[in-house]
Each structure stands twice: as structure tokens, then as C-alpha cells.
């Protein structure tokens, strides 16, 4: 029986400017640009496929606004 780590991705929507850098570095197709805008008018990133996330932190490291938090 395999035990999978539970990985949670949290997008801090009010920090996100929708630059899509995180989307471009994610090899597992976890993120997408969302349909909703934050208070500043930016369409922020949303988690599309949480179950695909391997917790590599590439998206969080690439984000210039520190708008992504990953929890294991």
C-alpha cells in the first residue's frame, strides 16, 4: 500500500498579478489563469489539478509577488 503526501497549494489572490510565470514552469499542469479578478483588477492564477502537484516548489520560487504557498 502506497502512502501519498497530501500537498496543498494556496494562491494568495490579492498578491497575484496574473503574470503566468508559475504556469509556465509547472511541468504537471497544476495551475491555470483564473476567471475571477482581484481587487486590483488582475485575473489571478487558480489551481486546476491539485492532484497532479508533486510539491517541487517551482511555481512558488518563480512567483515575483510571493503569491503561492505550498504545504505538505
Amino acid at each position: 500500500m502506497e502512502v501519498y503526501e497530501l500537498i496543498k497549494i494556496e494562491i494568495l489572490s490579492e498578491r497575484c498579478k496574473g503574470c503566468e510565470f508559475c504556469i509556465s514552469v509547472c511541468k504537471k499542469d497544476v495551475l491555470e489563469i483564473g476567471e475571477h479578478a482581484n481587487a486590483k483588477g488582475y485575473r489571478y492564477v487558480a489551481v486546476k489539478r491539485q492532484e497532479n502537484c508533486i510539491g517541487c516548489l517551482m511555481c512558488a520560487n518563480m512567483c515575483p509577488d510571493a503569491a503561492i504557498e505550498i504545504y505538505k
Side-chain angles (χ1 to χ4, degrees):
M1 181 169 141
E2 290 186 45
V3 177
Y4 294 97
E5 286 187 50
L6 181 60
I7 299 171
K8 180 179 185 230
I9 305 165
E10 184 175 336
I11 307 295
L12 305 175
S13 60
E14 291 307 314
R15 287 188 188 175
C16 181
K17 293 180 184 162
C19 68
E20 300 185 36
F21 290 158
C22 57
I23 295 170
S24 70
V25 297
C26 181
K27 303 297 184 205
K28 298 294 183 176
D29 197 32
V30 174
L31 305 170
E32 67 182 353
I33 197 69
E35 296 178 12
H36 304 287
N38 60 21
K40 296 176 186 169
Y42 296 110
R43 285 180 52 203
Y44 54 88
V45 170
V47 178
K48 175 171 61 171
R49 292 188 180 94
Q50 175 93 34
E51 67 279 3
N52 289 359
C53 182
I54 59 172
C56 69
L57 303 177
M58 291 290 291
C59 58
N61 290 334
M62 181 59 77
C63 182
D65 299 302
I68 302 174
E69 294 180 354
I70 299 180
Y71 304 98
K72 288 186 179 182

